[in-house]
Amino acid sequence: MNNANLPNRFIVLSLLMSMASFLSFAQSSGNLKGKVIEKATKQPLIGANVYIDDLKQGAVTDTSGVFSINDIPVGAHSVTISSVGFQKKIISEIIITSNKTYYSEIELLEDVSVLSGVTVKGFSGEMNPLTPVSSYSLSREEIFRNPGAQGDIMRALSFLPGVVSGGSQFSAIAARGQGTQDNVYMVDDIPMFNLSHLEAEGINSGFNDPNGGRFSIFAPRVIDNVQFQNGGFDAAFGRRSSSYLSLGVKEGNKESWSFSGQFDLLGATLIADGPVSKKTSIFASGRYLNFGMLLNLLGQNANTITLGDYMVKSTTQINVRNKLSVIAMYNPESPSRTIDDVEAGVNLNDDNSTGTALWNHQSSNVMVGVNLQTLLDSKSYLKNVLYYRSSRLDNNFGRYNPSVDSEGVVVDPLHRGYVANLRRIQNNQQEVGYRSIYTKNFDKLILTAGVDAMMVNLDYERRLFQTDTIFTLRTRDINTNSPRYYQILDPALYNSRYDGSAFNGSGYVTLSWRLSNRFTLNPGVRYDYTGFTGQHTLSPRLSGSYAVSERQSLNFATGIYYQDAAYTNVAGQSSGNTIWNERSFQSILGYKFQIANDWKFVAEGWHKRFDDVIVQPNRVESYLTNDGDGYAYGADFSLTKRLSSKYYGQLGYSFMESKRNDNNGLGEYDYAFNIPHTISILGSYKPSDKWIFSGKFRYSTGRPTDAFIIHPDVLGNPDNQKYGQEITQVNGDRLPDFISLDLRADYNVLTKWGVFSAFVDLVNVSNRFNVNSEIYIPETGNVFNLGLGVFPTFGVRVEL
């Protein structure tokens, strides 16, 4: 990959920054307005203080919990919200723009201090006794500033302790020894099973790619708040077992309209945000990405990759007791590599060569949800959520058969023709769901009880159109009496067809019981019924926190977690073969030290034991069983400086071991995301209102990969030379270590008409090629490395 001319590409950005300095600046003012409520009961807080730290001016909330501060100078301001009996909350940066009102609804947690006279300032619920372990939060500004993330929430999460991404070009996250499909995702209280684009279902010999997707379905600045628990989450959440991620989509501004646009190497994003009536506000965003310009910049193969993300959310305060939000999302994508994209002269052994594969993917996701929050009395509230989601996918896979020279360079792409439609995956899902969650706050007890119900329809087909030859196999698949170093894939052992519906139901109760000023205990139990398997499961869970002092606590969590089989796996089984839910037993013990108002140290040790793990006896056939088991354990350490004043950052280290055993006589092996050592360092500094500089360093042990040997001319045909790959040990080797330094610079100018911003975001500035996986090439007997070197983007953002 040649990036010698890369610096010249930034001339355009430099010119844009220079132009910005000539924009007329009007030193005028704007306003701040909002509402302060209790997190536990959602009731308005009367008499809460809202204080703009640098201006030393503020306001007090009225009987409706509403406050208003006018004539605030334009720029970034830190705001502290406090109320007697509640934790102080800091909003590190509120951007006030000319002649507009910034509106925010703010939740405060009950004070958990054990000594009088000292108040620990909490950030977005991090001192919540309901979530004593593995809890992290990110603000909208912290997500956007995260270097290398390019505004992508999933990439921003990959630096958290115990979290790894699919690696390099992938953004989906895997947590504490489990996979990218094992996480609970909630978006505005609506369950989502996939938050990523380009997940490439079916690309791995017709089965799911374990790396997950490459980009999140949320455009920059769409997500307003993030809550992440790296295990140990309570009984209110289930059907996935690894981690819990809650994303809150920004609500529309109730006071004034704003319009913004971001334009960069990847594409464009437009956002509109404002009131449509006295009671209703709208937040709408649209993003279109086309990767052609970036791929050309990086000198990579010409593939067509386009995707879009479109969202609208309305919020209506019906009356003092009822708040209604409606959200709708549409996320299409259309990547392809056809025979027209293939040229002579390409070396199949080069990194990211994509080998001889052809594909044409068409997919789209739709989600519509309605969320009604009702205040029942001064101590309780009810959430009712109704949602519909659908996913439509049509993936076609083919292969061309070139002639290559001794170095692996394609001489004639169509030497033996090509097959455009060798395999096809069609996966259409529809789900209608309802959730009702009741919360009651007693004197020393918070009760949460709820039910979930969903009707799921699967219309699935996996089809191989002709007998295929697979040149990768394991040693155990070889017939020792008549060795043959390839497999013949019969459509009868691959094809599957499923069209059916099933009902899934859940019920759960959790308590947060403050036994004393120092000790909080959170017992809970969850019941799930899974219609596709007819399985009933019960999951008891327990967590707690003991306050050693006003700033230090010991925390723990333990429980049973069940995980539904992926819908694609359920639909892919032959008649009569039922796969069950996987089960894990999890325990966490941690220590938390709130060093200062915005400094926190956390150390946690954890252990997991797995059984009924779904395994695939033959890698190219549909048949699955629950014969697997395994275990994982590790420890995470983090020192976090939350965003306040001019800087924030985090230092983290994670140790992890994760093993699986398919119980097929070959013993245990490293799980795909067994990453023993991970180090992350992140920092951001804002020297002035105009400039923000951020950097992030990441190191991790290389991911496991199969150990193998190569057999030449396995077809015995010199005119059609093919090499066979014999896997001698599953995940018996490792890829090179992952090392990346990411840098970001933002330049902001407040003008008389709004905000102008220009940014540069560089992933892996040293251009070290970080390998994500190895793809075997039968035509050359080698592997090409799938990964990423430097990945730059730059652009501008304008807000009116």
Side-chain angles (χ1 to χ4, degrees):
M1 186 183 305
N2 182 9
N3 295 304
N5 295 322
L6 191 57
N8 295 331
R9 306 282 183 171
F10 299 125
I11 293 177
V12 175
L13 181 63
S14 300
L15 292 174
L16 289 170
M17 288 181 173
S18 298
M19 292 171 58
S21 64
F22 292 100
L23 294 172
S24 59
F25 179 79
Q27 181 62 42
S28 56
S29 63
N31 308 313
L32 172 62
K33 188 175 181 180
K35 185 176 183 180
V36 182
I37 63 176
E38 295 185 44
K39 185 176 181 64
T41 64
K42 308 304 179 186
Q43 298 288 331
L45 273 176
I46 303 171
N49 292 296
V50 181
Y51 188 74
I52 302 177
D53 300 323
D54 56 323
L55 301 179
K56 302 188 184 308
Q57 69 180 89
V60 178
T61 58
D62 62 17
T63 55
S64 300
V66 174
F67 69 90
S68 181
I69 305 175
N70 299 324
D71 299 322
I72 303 170
V74 297
H77 302 277
S78 174
V79 177
T80 298
I81 305 96
S82 63
S83 183
V84 176
F86 293 86
Q87 297 177 36
K88 287 184 181 180
K89 184 170 184 177
I90 301 172
I91 301 178
S92 303
E93 282 200 355
I94 286 180
I95 307 298
I96 300 297
T97 52
S98 177
N99 300 316
K100 291 184 180 179
T101 298
Y102 184 107
Y103 186 89
S104 180
E105 192 166 287
I106 303 158
E107 295 182 341
L108 293 188
L109 275 166
E110 187 178 1
D111 194 355
V112 294
S113 296
V114 298
L115 297 178
S116 61
V118 179
T119 301
V120 177
K121 299 178 183 178
F123 282 82
S124 195
E126 287 184 343
M127 302 295 290
N128 191 347
L130 280 165
T131 56
V133 297
S134 309
S135 180
Y136 297 90
S137 65
L138 293 174
S139 68
R140 191 172 179 228
E141 189 64 26
E142 286 173 326
I143 297 168
F144 190 74
R145 281 199 200 182
N146 193 293
Q150 299 168 339
D152 190 308
I153 175 57
M154 304 305 288
R155 293 177 183 271
L157 289 170
S158 65
F159 81 96
L160 293 176
V163 177
V164 295
S165 69
S168 59
Q169 59 190 278
F170 294 88
S171 68
I173 60 172
R176 287 185 172 173
Q178 294 187 249
T180 59
Q181 299 181 23
D182 301 344
N183 308 303
V184 176
Y185 297 135
M186 303 293 291
V187 178
D188 281 3
D189 294 312
I190 298 170
M192 302 279 284
F193 295 140
N194 180 17
L195 301 182
S196 297
H197 279 293
L198 307 176
E199 193 158 338
E201 180 178 325
I203 197 171
N204 187 24
S205 298
F207 301 93
N208 288 341
D209 187 341
N211 296 303
R214 290 161 171 81
F215 290 89
S216 111
I217 60 175
F218 299 102
R221 295 189 177 273
V222 165
I223 299 301
D224 189 51
N225 59 82
V226 177
Q227 294 291 321
F228 179 76
Q229 276 191 268
N230 204 348
F233 49 91
D234 65 35
F237 308 104
R239 301 197 176 273
R240 293 291 186 269
S241 63
S242 180
S243 69
Y244 163 69
L245 174 63
S246 173
L247 303 178
V249 176
K250 186 182 183 306
E251 293 185 357
N253 191 320
K254 296 182 179 181
E255 296 296 321
S256 57
W257 276 95
S258 66
F259 302 91
S260 64
Q262 178 172 310
F263 309 91
D264 55 47
L265 274 179
L266 299 179
T269 300
L270 300 176
I271 294 176
D273 176 11
V276 293
S277 70
K278 290 185 178 179
K279 294 185 176 182
T280 302
S281 62
I282 292 286
F283 179 85
S285 71
R287 175 173 70 167
Y288 174 78
L289 300 183
N290 188 322
F291 290 76
M293 184 183 302
L294 181 59
L295 291 174
N296 290 333
L297 175 67
L298 299 178
Q300 295 192 9
N301 293 333
N303 308 323
T304 301
I305 303 176
T306 60
L307 56 88
D309 298 297
Y310 308 97
M311 172 190 296
V312 60
K313 177 180 178 178
S314 71
T315 305
T316 302
Q317 190 70 50
I318 300 174
N319 51 43
V320 293
R321 290 186 174 271
N322 293 280
K323 180 180 178 181
L324 178 71
S325 65
V326 180
I327 186 171
M329 298 169 54
Y330 173 56
N331 310 102
E333 62 184 59
S334 182
S336 66
R337 187 188 189 221
T338 69
I339 193 64
D340 295 330
D341 297 317
V342 176
E343 298 178 353
V346 173
N347 192 325
L348 297 181
N349 300 324
D350 283 347
D351 293 334
N352 292 328
S353 73
T354 67
T356 59
L358 305 173
W359 63 81
N360 184 5
H361 300 179
Q362 300 291 328
S363 70
S364 63
N365 295 307
V366 173
M367 189 272 280
V368 179
V370 179
N371 189 325
L372 176 63
Q373 178 179 285
T374 302
L375 304 182
L376 300 176
D377 54 42
S378 63
K379 295 293 184 179
S380 63
Y381 69 96
L382 181 68
K383 282 187 180 180
N384 285 291
V385 181
L386 180 66
Y387 66 91
Y388 165 82
R389 74 171 188 90
S390 71
S391 173
R392 302 186 62 85
L393 179 144
D394 189 350
N395 286 353
N396 292 275
F397 300 89
R399 182 184 304 130
Y400 69 99
N401 300 288
S403 60
V404 297
D405 64 18
S406 59
E407 301 297 324
V409 176
V410 173
V411 178
D412 179 6
L414 300 178
H415 180 67
R416 295 182 185 87
Y418 71 99
V419 180
N421 294 309
L422 178 61
R423 290 183 279 118
R424 187 179 188 185
I425 305 287
Q426 291 180 294
N427 184 7
N428 299 324
Q429 303 177 14
Q430 292 183 314
E431 177 177 310
V432 177
Y434 170 72
R435 306 185 69 221
S436 183
I437 307 105
Y438 170 75
T439 301
K440 175 73 172 181
N441 190 22
F442 298 93
D443 182 28
K444 294 186 177 182
L445 183 73
I446 297 176
L447 165 70
T448 300
V451 293
D452 296 352
M454 61 196 77
M455 181 62 69
V456 183
N457 175 259
L458 303 182
D459 183 1
Y460 181 88
E461 182 176 21
R462 180 168 60 227
R463 185 176 180 186
L464 179 68
F465 289 93
Q466 64 186 53
T467 300
D468 195 14
T469 305
I470 307 298
F471 292 96
T472 295
L473 74 170
R474 292 174 291 189
T475 299
R476 65 188 297 266
D477 300 323
I478 299 172
N479 186 336
T480 56
N481 295 325
S482 179
R484 186 177 66 181
Y485 300 105
Y486 59 91
Q487 295 187 81
I488 300 298
L489 181 56
D490 188 335
L493 298 176
Y494 176 90
N495 293 352
S496 63
R497 180 75 179 93
Y498 184 92
D499 189 358
S501 300
F503 171 80
N504 292 338
S506 304
Y508 42 88
V509 177
T510 67
L511 301 174
S512 181
W513 187 9
R514 192 171 64 187
L515 297 175
S516 70
N517 287 338
R518 293 181 180 272
F519 187 34
T520 301
L521 199 63
N522 306 309
V525 64
R526 180 182 179 90
Y527 161 79
D528 288 298
Y529 171 73
T530 305
F532 289 111
T533 64
Q535 189 174 3
H536 303 265
T537 59
L538 200 65
S539 307
R541 300 174 192 175
L542 179 67
S543 67
S545 176
Y546 178 76
V548 179
S549 69
E550 79 281 357
R551 295 185 182 272
Q552 300 180 74
S553 64
L554 298 175
N555 311 287
F556 73 92
T558 187
I560 297 175
Y561 294 78
Y562 284 91
Q563 177 157 304
D564 289 358
Y567 289 156
T568 53
N569 291 335
V570 170
Q573 298 310 293
S574 59
S575 178
N577 183 42
T578 300
I579 50 177
W580 300 94
N581 297 341
E582 299 179 333
R583 181 174 60 175
S584 64
F585 301 83
Q586 304 184 18
S587 299
I588 302 171
L589 180 62
Y591 166 75
K592 186 184 299 182
F593 181 23
Q594 192 77 32
I595 302 170
N597 294 336
D598 50 1
W599 283 89
K600 181 178 69 172
F601 173 76
V602 176
E604 288 188 344
W606 55 271
H607 183 274
K608 299 180 181 181
R609 181 164 61 87
F610 309 102
D611 57 22
D612 293 332
V613 174
I614 295 173
V615 297
Q616 187 178 8
N618 190 310
R619 287 188 172 186
V620 295
E621 295 178 3
S622 301
Y623 179 68
L624 302 173
T625 73
N626 286 93
D627 292 338
D629 57 39
Y631 62 89
Y633 61 89
D636 300 323
F637 304 88
S638 68
L639 177 64
T640 304
K641 166 67 175 69
R642 294 307 308 265
L643 178 59
S644 63
S645 301
K646 297 180 179 296
Y647 58 96
Y648 85 102
Q650 179 167 303
L651 171 64
Y653 168 73
S654 298
F655 168 76
M656 175 178 62
E657 288 287 346
S658 183
K659 304 286 185 177
R660 298 293 187 275
N661 191 333
D662 293 353
N663 292 305
N664 55 7
L666 298 181
E668 71 178 29
Y669 58 90
D670 287 342
Y671 182 59
F673 289 96
N674 180 25
I675 312 294
H677 303 285
T678 301
I679 298 172
S680 60
I681 304 171
L682 180 146
S684 179
Y685 177 61
K686 184 177 181 180
S688 68
D689 284 344
K690 289 187 176 182
W691 286 99
I692 303 173
F693 300 100
S694 305
K696 179 171 63 182
F697 172 79
R698 292 172 294 164
Y699 163 83
S700 64
T701 309
R703 285 178 56 184
T705 189
D706 294 333
F708 61 88
I709 58 176
I710 299 296
H711 300 277
D713 194 20
V714 296
L715 297 179
N717 182 357
D719 293 329
N720 187 18
Q721 179 75 257
K722 300 289 185 182
Y723 296 80
Q725 182 190 42
E726 177 188 345
I727 297 173
T728 57
Q729 185 178 358
V730 174
N731 287 344
D733 203 351
R734 282 196 180 271
L735 299 173
D737 292 347
F738 177 94
I739 301 174
S740 180
L741 175 63
D742 309 332
L743 298 176
R744 181 182 176 100
D746 291 87
Y747 179 70
N748 305 293
V749 177
L750 296 174
T751 73
K752 63 182 180 181
W753 43 260
V755 180
F756 173 87
S757 303
F759 66 90
V760 177
D761 199 353
L762 302 175
V763 180
N764 193 13
V765 294
S766 66
N767 199 20
R768 172 191 170 92
F769 191 86
N770 283 308
V771 181
N772 177 78
S773 58
E774 297 175 333
I775 310 297
Y776 178 64
I777 311 169
E779 288 77 12
T780 67
N782 294 317
V783 296
F784 74 77
N785 293 316
L786 187 64
L788 196 66
V790 63
F791 186 84
T793 189
F794 53 84
V796 297
R797 181 176 175 271
V798 178
E799 181 175 345
L800 305 176

